[in-house]
Amino acid sequence: MSRLEAKKPPLFISEPLTRDAVSQALSVLSGILKSSYGPAGRLKQLHNGVGGCVCTTSQSSALLGHLSVSQPVLRVLTASVRNHVSRFSDCGLFTAILCCGFIENFRSLNVAPFSVIKISKHLLSLCMDHLKSEGCGCRVSVDFSSVETLACLVRSVLTSKPACMLNKTEVDHLTSLVLKAFIFTVPCHVETNAVLGKCVMIPVKGRRVVDSTVFPGLLIEMPEIQLGKPLAVKRTGSNMIRIALFSVSMSGDSFNPEEGTVAVHHGISLEVSELNQLLSVGKQLVKDEVGLVVCQKVMHPSLKQYLKENGVLAVDRAGLSVMEPLGRMTGSQPIASIHSLSPGCYGTLKDLCIESFASKHFLHLIPEDTVICSLILCNRSETAWDELKRVCETAEHVLQLTVKEPLALLGGGCTETHLASYIRYKSSSLPASTFKDLDCSQTQYQLVAEGFCRSLESVARSLSHDGEEILTDMVYGHAWFVPSGSPCVSKWSDLVSKCGCGVNDNTEDLSWRFLQGQSGSPVIPGCPKELSAKVADLLTLDCFAAKCSGLQVALETANLILDLSYIIEDQN
């Protein structure tokens, strides 16, 4: 077939970072991300031009998922950050803002990109070695014998997203619920390869946040269930409830004409034949002492009635989302065919009961060992509930990551300013052999190091949205926020009470400098390692694994973009 239009040659764009359109797009994206960062971040309302749902959020996953990005350079950046968020759930805005900062600060240097990349990789290794060392002043060990540090982690996640619209009482309530739900998912009997369970979140919109609650086991909504009647369910000889889990439709119309033709003898009804097969399955389930049948899809009314008459509770339309946790909780294998049943597919439950919440009625499946739990999550509006669900999922993932690596980093901008102080201190005392190995001069190294530090500090500055002045102390390198409109005083300690993370107060004689100014004297890291319970209650913490990954992803992505010499676009 001949072409209706001649094929166009590809478009070659050389040195994309020098183009005004790319710089402007990068600046706009950076501004959107920075203004969304932290507990005081400004909300963004995202919607398309032809209608559809409106998303109000300040979360990176929602922001980047709804933004339509056309610039190839920005596509690389957003894809990299979204990949990080898909793996860690947390620190998406940190990663994106830091990446934008690296690009902005490095491209303005009079240093070849090849040298910038080599030097920045060395600076990253210094940061990672420091963060993983015992003497790191911005790292906190997580003690699982106490919930205080874990509560700080959860509380920091919950308070970082203002679209949830939570007050202190609600934050405290949800913190305890998320922790309780997480503890339910930890196996009681630890094996060599222990696997954490899952928390299933159930939406209840239009109710108070403090009405939220958590149940061990799984809740399945059953609008047709009759209240006030006891559940007469068949049990095995060991007083357990045997459960069968079907992933196949049991509606009796499983034959699909689109899949082909079926030859049927004269006088034979497919519908009757299918129903007879279903009733045969029901008889086998009754014979095998099954007490509960859960079907992912639709179940034929005649089969449901037959099972009910024989003391078997039948639940259909359970949905795909409950299949995996239900199978794991009960040990049952989903049955994918009504033509073959194996006793090895069945699982067991300890008990069943009915729970009512608001206007909804649930069947509560209670297991022998709890690794699955159900969190009934309430919020006043649909928008706030959607944001709260994402936040609670992030908090759960942060706790799971912390189990694997029981560490946390100081939040509130203190880790960023501390690392910047540490890099300035470290880079000023490197031996000449380091510059020789990197094939650069000491001046080039210092220029890149300063750009690296300014990028870290730009993340801390992004926490300020109301004109606050930001200071960093010359002892621990922490960030301190001075309220806007504060009077001029001779001592900064008269205006600041605690640093951003809450670990240091103004009782110690500290020297401060403006974060926006030129680099000051080297700051020797010396943050106290041991935290009292009183201080820990107020601590702002970040996930160690997520932030370390975000730091690496931000620099690697920035270096990749800085190294771009051409963009080739197909015009067809």
Side-chain angles (χ1 to χ4, degrees):
M1 182 177 177
S2 61
R3 291 181 176 272
L4 298 176
E5 186 180 344
K7 188 175 181 179
K8 297 176 183 178
L11 177 65
F12 290 84
I13 304 172
S14 62
E15 303 299 333
L17 286 183
T18 62
R19 303 295 176 113
D20 289 341
V22 175
S23 299
Q24 185 178 2
L26 188 65
S27 177
V28 170
L29 178 64
S30 178
I32 291 172
L33 298 170
K34 286 180 177 179
S35 64
S36 304
Y37 192 51
R42 302 303 189 246
L43 302 183
K44 306 295 177 291
Q45 199 170 70
L46 303 155
H47 57 93
N48 58 38
V50 292
C53 64
V54 176
C55 175
T56 305
T57 186
S58 63
Q59 279 200 341
S60 60
S61 58
L63 280 172
L64 299 180
H66 286 80
L67 278 177
S68 178
V69 179
S70 58
Q71 284 288 347
V73 170
L74 267 59
R75 284 182 187 173
V76 172
L77 194 158
T78 55
S80 184
V81 174
R82 290 182 71 182
N83 181 58
H84 161 81
V85 173
S86 70
R87 294 173 56 223
F88 293 92
S89 298
D90 198 22
C91 295
L93 287 176
F94 163 81
T95 305
I97 293 168
L98 184 58
C99 184
C100 291
F102 282 142
I103 296 170
E104 181 183 346
N105 284 291
F106 288 163
R107 70 175 177 173
S108 63
L109 301 176
N110 190 23
V111 182
F114 180 71
S115 297
V116 170
I117 291 170
K118 284 199 301 182
I119 296 169
S120 64
K121 285 182 178 178
H122 184 261
L123 293 167
L124 176 65
S125 68
L126 292 179
C127 282
M128 298 310 297
D129 290 344
H130 179 59
L131 290 173
K132 293 178 180 179
S133 68
E134 291 292 332
C136 177
C138 58
R139 197 180 80 168
V140 177
S141 296
V142 177
D143 181 10
F144 280 89
S145 64
S146 169
V147 298
E148 286 176 349
T149 312
L150 294 174
C152 288
L153 270 170
V154 175
R155 192 180 293 111
S156 300
V157 174
L158 292 175
T159 55
S160 67
K161 305 303 173 190
C164 296
M165 297 185 288
L166 303 175
N167 57 39
K168 185 181 182 304
T169 302
E170 292 168 341
V171 169
D172 292 342
H173 180 69
L174 283 176
T175 297
S176 64
L177 282 187
V178 171
L179 279 173
K180 187 177 180 180
F182 172 71
I183 292 170
F184 276 138
T185 65
V186 178
C188 297
H189 308 291
V190 179
E191 301 174 1
T192 306
N193 297 316
V195 179
L196 293 173
K198 184 177 181 180
C199 174
V200 178
M201 295 186 189
I202 299 169
V204 177
K205 299 164 188 177
R207 295 293 296 264
R208 301 180 308 160
V209 174
V210 291
D211 291 334
S212 303
T213 187
V214 65
F215 291 91
L218 196 62
L219 295 179
I220 299 178
E221 189 172 356
M222 292 185 67
E224 74 280 4
I225 203 163
Q226 294 182 350
L227 298 177
K229 289 189 176 182
L231 288 175
V233 180
K234 183 181 292 186
R235 294 178 180 266
T236 63
S238 56
N239 201 33
M240 300 293 286
I241 299 170
R242 189 165 289 156
I243 175 174
L245 191 58
F246 287 87
S247 59
V248 66
S249 173
M250 304 180 79
S251 62
D253 57 354
S254 57
F255 169 66
N256 187 356
E258 295 178 0
E259 295 178 355
T261 57
V262 176
V264 182
H265 291 289
H266 179 70
I268 300 296
S269 169
L270 275 177
E271 290 78 7
V272 173
S273 177
E274 192 79 16
L275 179 57
N276 289 336
Q277 179 62 40
L278 288 172
L279 293 175
S280 175
V281 170
K283 291 175 183 177
Q284 184 64 45
L285 292 170
V286 173
K287 182 181 177 183
D288 292 339
E289 295 185 310
V290 171
L292 174 66
V293 177
V294 178
C295 181
Q296 176 186 334
K297 301 177 182 178
V298 179
M299 188 180 293
H300 196 287
S302 297
L303 176 59
K304 291 180 75 173
Q305 183 62 31
Y306 174 80
L307 293 173
K308 180 180 178 181
E309 291 172 353
N310 287 273
V312 181
L313 182 61
V315 179
D316 65 347
R317 295 183 176 89
L320 181 62
S321 60
V322 303
M323 296 298 284
E324 188 271 331
L326 184 54
R328 181 168 176 191
M329 183 179 79
T330 61
S332 56
Q333 300 294 322
I335 301 167
S337 172
I338 62 171
H339 299 285
S340 59
L341 283 182
S342 169
C345 293
Y346 301 144
T348 56
L349 280 173
K350 181 181 178 182
D351 203 0
L352 284 173
C353 66
I354 298 172
E355 299 286 352
S356 295
F357 193 90
S359 59
K360 297 187 176 184
H361 308 304
F362 301 92
L363 183 66
H364 185 192
L365 284 63
I366 305 170
E368 183 71 25
D369 293 320
T370 301
V371 290
I372 304 295
C373 67
S374 299
L375 173 59
I376 294 183
L377 194 59
C378 306
N379 212 336
R380 290 168 286 272
S381 67
E382 186 170 353
T383 298
W385 188 90
D386 291 339
E387 188 84 344
L388 186 59
K389 177 179 180 288
R390 287 191 289 263
V391 168
C392 289
E393 288 172 343
T394 299
E396 181 191 11
H397 196 181
V398 164
L399 292 173
Q400 292 170 349
L401 292 169
T402 307
V403 169
K404 297 177 183 177
E405 200 165 11
L407 297 168
L409 290 174
L410 299 177
C414 290
T415 289
E416 291 84 347
T417 55
H418 174 87
L419 283 177
S421 299
Y422 175 77
I423 289 298
R424 288 195 177 103
Y425 164 72
K426 197 73 177 176
S427 61
S428 66
S429 57
L430 290 173
S433 59
T434 301
F435 310 125
K436 185 177 180 181
D437 293 340
L438 294 171
D439 193 22
C440 69
S441 66
Q442 184 175 2
T443 302
Q444 288 176 321
Y445 191 95
Q446 291 291 347
L447 284 171
V448 177
E450 184 60 29
F452 190 97
C453 295
R454 286 183 177 277
S455 301
L456 285 168
E457 290 174 340
S458 72
V459 180
R461 287 200 299 272
S462 300
L463 290 167
S464 171
H465 300 283
D466 296 306
E468 300 100 329
E469 296 285 359
I470 306 179
L471 312 173
T472 181
D473 67 79
M474 306 295 285
V475 179
Y476 304 118
H478 283 213
W480 302 72
F481 295 83
V482 181
S484 60
S486 297
C488 295
V489 292
S490 57
K491 291 177 64 179
W492 286 116
S493 57
D494 294 338
L495 294 177
V496 293
S497 56
K498 281 189 177 294
C499 64
C501 70
V503 73
N504 289 321
D505 55 30
N506 61 0
T507 55
E508 193 173 348
D509 186 19
L510 303 174
S511 298
W512 285 279
R513 68 174 177 87
F514 284 107
L515 198 60
Q516 293 89 339
Q518 298 296 318
S519 59
S521 304
V523 179
I524 303 174
C527 180
K529 290 293 296 280
E530 297 296 327
L531 305 175
S532 67
K534 184 177 180 181
V535 172
D537 285 341
L538 302 173
L539 210 59
T540 301
L541 296 178
D542 290 328
C543 176
F544 181 84
K547 200 146 204 177
C548 286
S549 170
L551 179 58
Q552 296 175 81
V553 168
L555 185 69
E556 290 166 2
T557 305
N559 284 343
L560 173 65
I561 292 172
L562 288 167
D563 205 28
L564 288 175
S565 59
Y566 276 95
I567 292 175
I568 305 171
E569 287 190 46
D570 187 1
Q571 297 295 291
N572 297 290

